[in-house]
Amino acid sequence: MEKLSLQTENLDLVPPAADDIDAIFAACQDPETQSWVPIPVPYLREHAIEYATTHTDKTWSEDTEYTWTIRSAGTLAGVVGLYRVGNGSADLGFWMDPAFRGQGLLTEACNAVLDFSLAPAPAGLGLARIGWNAYAGNFGSARVAQKLGFHFEGIARLGAALRGELRNDWAGSLLADDDRTVQPWSILA
């Protein structure tokens, strides 16, 4: 697929590019991001260069991953993407720069990606299922997924690894015909 941008009332969602290297590098220095997102630690400038150029170009062209920077008033606020795309499904992943957390921007960005993902072709990808996973304890990610209408599916005990350490993994999903209203989640009760 050719790279494409999405827009919301308050945000521009634009595929990562060379202009984003410095902002991505700075945002990925955040200890909270490093605790929950499987990025290299230490996160070096060369990682940002590879991600914003080679990696993004390759995954878009191979239709395996579609990522967008979240831009608020022209400033990089975070990243949202569809990962493991194939066979009618994908996984939603995201992170926010600390300066932009708690403003509802991530939910707005994710809704735009979900609208595009679930819309029938040619307007969208026509996916049947979107998955969500987070390391157990990532309540911020869980609250966003819950607001988006994801159904909590459970906990995979030691089901994910982060830098060689096994962790419990939370899982949820959203189907194309789900109503996308806030769902009750036992872990957020």
Side-chain angles (χ1 to χ4, degrees):
M1 170 183 287
E2 294 214 16
K3 293 180 188 175
L4 59 89
S5 297
L6 303 171
Q7 292 183 318
T8 71
E9 183 178 337
N10 300 301
L11 303 169
D12 292 311
L13 305 181
V14 181
D19 291 353
D20 299 312
I21 291 169
D22 291 336
I24 290 170
F25 172 70
C28 288
Q29 302 309 307
D30 173 51
E32 186 77 9
T33 300
Q34 292 177 0
S35 292
W36 302 116
V37 179
I39 57 174
V41 175
Y43 194 85
L44 307 175
R45 192 167 192 284
E46 64 198 49
H47 296 126
I49 293 169
E50 196 276 333
Y51 174 75
T53 58
T54 309
H55 177 81
T56 298
D57 291 343
K58 180 178 186 220
T59 59
W60 273 86
S61 70
E62 293 177 348
D63 293 318
T64 57
E65 181 177 301
Y66 308 123
T67 53
W68 294 268
T69 59
I70 302 167
R71 298 174 193 256
S72 175
T75 301
L76 186 135
V79 169
V80 60
L82 296 169
Y83 304 90
R84 293 176 284 285
V85 178
N87 299 315
S89 71
D91 291 337
L92 181 71
F94 44 79
W95 58 262
M96 288 296 277
D97 182 281
F100 292 91
R101 291 180 187 146
Q103 300 175 33
L105 299 176
L106 183 55
T107 302
E108 183 177 337
C110 288
N111 268 315
V113 171
L114 292 173
D115 290 345
F116 170 70
S117 303
L118 299 171
L125 297 174
L127 299 179
R129 181 184 191 279
I130 307 291
W132 166 87
N133 291 82
Y135 300 113
N138 189 344
F139 291 101
S141 182
R143 281 189 292 276
V144 170
Q146 181 189 36
K147 288 178 196 172
L148 295 168
F150 279 75
H151 292 251
F152 185 71
E153 295 179 330
I155 302 168
R157 297 180 308 146
L158 301 182
L162 180 64
R163 294 179 210 96
E165 176 190 341
L166 289 176
R167 292 184 172 191
N168 290 347
D169 191 42
W170 288 339
S173 69
L174 181 70
L175 303 183
D177 58 358
D178 286 345
D179 64 17
R180 291 174 62 180
T181 58
V182 175
Q183 299 296 309
W185 283 33
S186 60
I187 60 168
L188 297 176

